[in-house]
Amino acid sequence: MNLMKILSQLNLKQLPLDFCKCGVAGWCLEVIFTSTESILRHDWRLMGQTSLLMFPIYGCGALLAPIGALIDRWVTPGAGITAARTDIAIRHGFLYMVLIFVAEYLSGSLLRGRGMCPWDYTGRSTNIDGLIRLDFAPLWFATGLLFEQITKKKGR
């Protein structure tokens, strides 16, 4: 499949809206997650936080579903070949998890180089260079699938 055909299948009119949906959803998830961490500190105000810098990073989640669809066409190129929905969800979840880790590492490296990285996992047992935490794998798996669902066309 050539690049032009792939790009023609990407709904460029819908992409800005999907970018915003993923950006806002990511912000909300981060505020919820960071507020629940306060329970461990016995801080019952449940204050959550995020950064404006996270919006475009989470917004890139709008690209996950098109990448998943591309991988589906590559893995099952025949029109008569179908996979169970659970198999597709597991494949997509793992793919999205890896892509989110890569995006988190790369964006964190870029931001850290400018002294602007809003997160630092240094000191956590599963961190890599203070930029990603491997124990977040289940969260990124689920977040990727959530982004896929909120950017899905109606009727699919």
Side-chain angles (χ1 to χ4, degrees):
M1 186 176 291
N2 67 32
L3 184 60
M4 292 311 293
K5 185 173 181 181
I6 293 167
L7 290 175
S8 70
Q9 293 174 349
L10 184 62
N11 187 347
L12 295 177
K13 289 181 182 176
Q14 186 65 29
L15 196 57
L17 179 60
D18 289 346
F19 183 89
C20 290
K21 286 179 184 178
C22 291
V24 170
W27 268 347
C28 291
L29 289 171
E30 187 165 330
V31 169
I32 291 167
F33 182 77
T34 57
S35 69
T36 58
E37 283 183 327
S38 67
I39 294 171
L40 300 174
R41 296 186 308 269
H42 303 292
D43 179 359
W44 301 109
R45 296 174 299 151
L46 302 177
M47 299 295 290
Q49 63 182 22
T50 189
S51 165
L52 291 175
L53 296 170
M54 296 308 297
F55 182 82
I57 295 169
Y58 286 124
C60 288
L63 299 172
L64 293 176
I67 293 170
L70 177 64
I71 296 298
D72 288 344
R73 285 192 296 276
W74 178 64
V75 171
T76 55
I81 301 173
T82 59
R85 288 178 61 175
T86 54
D87 292 343
I88 293 169
I90 291 169
R91 178 172 63 221
H92 285 191
F94 277 110
L95 172 65
Y96 301 157
M97 177 189 69
V98 169
L99 291 172
I100 291 170
F101 273 134
V102 169
E104 183 180 26
Y105 190 90
L106 293 175
S107 61
S109 295
L110 181 74
L111 291 170
R112 181 185 282 170
R114 290 168 172 65
M116 299 169 51
C117 189
W119 69 91
D120 184 0
Y121 301 131
T122 303
R124 303 293 180 128
S125 63
T126 61
N127 88 87
I128 297 178
D129 297 332
L131 296 171
I132 62 173
R133 286 180 55 178
L134 297 179
D135 59 326
F136 283 0
L139 299 171
W140 294 142
F141 183 101
T143 299
L145 292 175
L146 174 68
F147 286 171
E148 178 183 67
Q149 289 302 307
I150 66 174
T151 60
K152 194 179 268 189
K153 290 180 185 174
K154 288 182 176 32
R156 282 196 304 163

